[in-house]
Amino acid sequence: MKSVVLIATLIFTLSLTAQTPYEKGMNKAFTLWEQQKNTEAAQLFERIASVEKDNWLPSYYVGLIEIISCFGLKDEALLNTKLTRAKEFLDSASAISKDNPEIMISYALLNTAYIAFDGAKYGMTLSGENVAIYQKAQAIAPNNPRVLLGKTEWDMGTAKFFGKSTAPYCEDIERAIDLFEAEEQTIPYYPYSGIERAKEISNNCKKETSPK
């Protein structure tokens, strides 16, 4: 998860001169996030969102920070507080940008945070919801590398849970890497991150399938 944060800070580099207040704020928020000052970064993204009412990105990043910071938590009350807050901001982002695959797969990541905390309690209800989210997102954006990566990671996790091989999904990881490399990064602050995670999984695939 840490790599997601580090990659996110490099999403889009702007000149330090002639920046708008929005650009200055977003750059500062990403810097705080890179420094692992999650609370400060989320608060700044929230302030930006209160001004940029037609821009889904600031609210999206508040939600994403809250979700990522939930993995590894031991306190269920804190988990619920953070993920409830995350959902509120994802809902705000979704109201601005409907059927946005980036936001959709963040809802799936939110569900995964619950399942990772207590699979017995949350797995039954939220697993099916995640399958539906990834299917819908893939139907909307079949060539989105983050959608393919997220869906494939989910499928791999499911296979592991049931004691099945993850090897059949390695080809999808390679395809995701190809899609990442072909993706044109033209929108400032868009969540283009993910290729390093895909390459990490690809390396694991190669280790698991190499001759012993």
Side-chain angles (χ1 to χ4, degrees), residues 25-90:
M26 292 293 281
N27 288 345
K28 183 176 180 181
F30 279 117
T31 297
L32 289 168
W33 196 8
E34 182 180 20
Q35 295 170 348
Q36 299 185 45
K37 297 178 180 179
N38 294 347
T39 300
E40 294 91 335
Q43 289 173 343
L44 182 50
F45 279 125
E46 183 175 359
R47 290 198 294 275
I48 296 169
S50 69
V51 176
E52 299 284 329
K53 296 185 182 298
D54 295 326
N55 186 341
W56 63 275
L57 286 166
S59 291
Y60 162 85
Y61 283 117
V62 178
L64 189 61
I65 289 173
E66 294 289 2
I67 294 167
I68 291 173
S69 65
C70 282
F71 287 90
L73 287 181
K74 305 299 182 183
D75 185 334
E76 187 167 11
L78 179 58
L79 179 92
N80 283 324
T81 297
K82 292 175 72 65
L83 292 182
T84 297
R85 172 175 159 82
K87 186 178 183 304
E88 289 171 354
F89 279 92
L90 290 184

Side-chain angles (χ1 to χ4, degrees), residues 148-174:
L148 179 57
L149 176 61
K151 181 180 183 301
T152 305
E153 274 206 86
W154 174 259
D155 290 340
M156 284 179 153
T158 301
K160 287 180 180 178
F161 180 80
F162 289 106
K164 297 181 179 179
S165 172
T166 60
Y169 303 103
C170 291
E171 287 186 10
D172 287 333
I173 293 297
E174 296 305 317

Side-chain angles (χ1 to χ4, degrees), residues 12-210:
F12 203 96
T13 304
L14 295 171
S15 170
L16 295 178
T17 60
Q19 290 182 344
T20 66
Y22 169 70
E23 292 166 349
K24 289 179 181 178
M26 292 293 281
N27 288 345
K28 183 176 180 181
F30 279 117
T31 297
L32 289 168
W33 196 8
E34 182 180 20
Q35 295 170 348
Q36 299 185 45
K37 297 178 180 179
N38 294 347
T39 300
E40 294 91 335
Q43 289 173 343
L44 182 50
F45 279 125
E46 183 175 359
R47 290 198 294 275
I48 296 169
S50 69
V51 176
E52 299 284 329
K53 296 185 182 298
D54 295 326
N55 186 341
W56 63 275
L57 286 166
S59 291
Y60 162 85
Y61 283 117
V62 178
L64 189 61
I65 289 173
E66 294 289 2
I67 294 167
I68 291 173
S69 65
C70 282
F71 287 90
L73 287 181
K74 305 299 182 183
D75 185 334
E76 187 167 11
L78 179 58
L79 179 92
N80 283 324
T81 297
K82 292 175 72 65
L83 292 182
T84 297
R85 172 175 159 82
K87 186 178 183 304
E88 289 171 354
F89 279 92
L90 290 184
D91 287 347
S92 295
S94 186
I96 297 168
S97 183
K98 297 183 184 300
D99 292 329
N100 182 321
E102 310 293 351
I103 300 171
M104 293 169 66
I105 61 175
S106 293
Y107 279 114
L109 187 62
L110 186 153
N111 288 343
T112 302
Y114 274 117
I115 295 168
F117 180 82
D118 188 341
K121 182 174 182 179
Y122 296 108
M124 186 69 70
T125 55
L126 296 181
S127 293
E129 188 174 312
N130 269 13
V131 171
I133 288 172
Y134 284 123
Q135 287 178 342
K136 183 177 180 181
Q138 197 164 45
I140 293 171
N143 293 320
N144 182 311
R146 285 160 299 284
V147 171
L148 179 57
L149 176 61
K151 181 180 183 301
T152 305
E153 274 206 86
W154 174 259
D155 290 340
M156 284 179 153
T158 301
K160 287 180 180 178
F161 180 80
F162 289 106
K164 297 181 179 179
S165 172
T166 60
Y169 303 103
C170 291
E171 287 186 10
D172 287 333
I173 293 297
E174 296 305 317
R175 179 167 174 265
I177 292 172
D178 290 341
L179 290 173
F180 274 116
E181 291 175 341
E183 187 172 49
E184 294 184 8
Q185 301 187 8
T186 58
I187 303 172
Y189 309 111
Y190 193 88
Y192 290 114
S193 62
I195 189 169
E196 292 302 325
R197 175 61 179 164
K199 287 181 176 179
E200 179 184 342
I201 298 172
S202 174
N203 288 335
N204 291 336
C205 278
K206 290 171 185 175
K207 290 176 183 177
E208 292 174 3
T209 57
S210 62

